[in-house]
Amino acid sequence: MDSATPASPGKKAPKDEDEREVPSQARFSPEEEADLLAQSSTARATANQLFTTSRFSEAISAYDRALSLVPNYCDYEIAVLRSNIAAAQLRSSDWKAAAESAENCLECLDRVEGIPRKKRKEEVEGEGGVDAGKAEKRSNGGKEGTKDAERDHTGADGGIVEIEGEDEEVERQLAQLKLSDERKEDVRRIRSKGLMRRAKAKEELGGWGNLAAAEEDYKTLSKMSNLPAQDKKVVQKALISLPTRINIAKEQEMGEMMGKLKDLGNGILKPFGLSTDMFKMNKDPSSGGYSMSFDQGSK
């Protein structure tokens, strides 16, 4: 199963416009944070063992226990656990839950890398179980940024990188610079697993929208250089089969929609002695578009 490298204690997580802000005084002390992550790691090891013995329901519960111990600003550790939960849910054929868990995993990784996201329609709750703002805590002495800030930071190559912009943009750029090469590789590895699991779940859910979303994930995966050979084969196979499946699902859903519209139309037209059968929809084979004609003789 996926593994997590403990995050540096006290490191400030990048902010996102639709995510909760974790001010310095709401964070656990380095010692408390390290202890919680150690407890979570122990619980995760138990969950991994349950997973390997195909006790998936128990594994999910154990992963949830591990998740409840992670400070809610430790996005990388949360992402790893969400990915593991998605894997167990896939093995349990709980496609919808697996898709949601994989989505949560990818959202956490975006925050780790400082990638801004569009505001979601619904907030994802319960990503981490421990809120330092509701427990006894000590400030880590962090300083809040100022708007229109301009800062210099040493890049990975030792050069000076100028950082400027609003608070959130500054923190996003700093977060990207602070990621070590090892952590970046870890993030890429977990991201590929999250994408694979979300794509698999969406594919199993079926339907026009889900299949199209799965195809997009597989296209993203096809461009990643860190995929194992087995996953590459899965991606290639999916990209060959999905276009046909998407078209079939599209035609089916369009047909069902037209049927519902016809029933609605008949209800409206009946008082006037008309029916939708008098209106013919003619598909243009070259463009795929439709035109309508009226046949007054049809009943």
Side-chain angles (χ1 to χ4, degrees), residues 49 60 69 79 89 109 120 157 168 175 189 276 282:
Q49 183 61 37
I60 292 170
L69 292 164
Q89 289 166 332
L109 294 179
R120 297 190 299 277
D157 58 358
E168 292 187 7
R189 176 173 56 83
T276 56
N282 305 306

Side-chain angles (χ1 to χ4, degrees), residues 11 112-114 174-181 183-184 187:
K11 180 177 177 181
V112 171
E113 293 186 300
L174 287 173
Q176 290 177 322
L177 288 171
K178 288 178 181 178
L179 281 177
S180 67
D181 290 339
R183 177 49 60 91
K184 287 179 181 178
V187 169

Side-chain angles (χ1 to χ4, degrees), residues 150-251:
E150 296 187 4
R151 308 177 191 177
D152 289 342
H153 196 278
T154 304
D157 58 358
I160 299 299
V161 180
E162 185 177 274
I163 304 294
E164 59 181 274
E166 299 290 333
D167 278 353
E168 292 187 7
E169 177 63 16
V170 167
E171 293 205 21
R172 182 185 69 79
Q173 295 179 50
L174 287 173
Q176 290 177 322
L177 288 171
K178 288 178 181 178
L179 281 177
S180 67
D181 290 339
E182 182 179 356
R183 177 49 60 91
K184 287 179 181 178
E185 186 58 38
D186 288 340
V187 169
R188 283 192 290 267
R189 176 173 56 83
I190 301 302
R191 184 177 293 281
S192 67
K193 292 187 177 185
L195 285 168
M196 283 291 294
R197 290 162 186 171
R198 184 174 68 178
K200 175 64 175 175
K202 293 282 189 179
E203 191 177 359
E204 292 292 344
L205 281 169
W208 180 12
N210 285 323
L211 292 175
E215 183 182 39
E216 287 303 310
D217 281 345
Y218 284 128
K219 285 180 179 179
T220 300
L221 285 160
S222 70
K223 300 173 184 177
M224 299 181 74
S225 60
N226 62 333
L227 284 187
Q230 178 93 14
D231 286 348
K232 287 181 180 179
K233 291 180 180 179
V234 171
V235 170
Q236 291 170 353
K237 184 177 179 179
L239 288 176
I240 292 172
S241 65
L242 275 173
T244 300
R245 293 178 61 191
I246 290 171
N247 286 333
I248 292 174
K250 178 181 177 181
E251 290 295 330

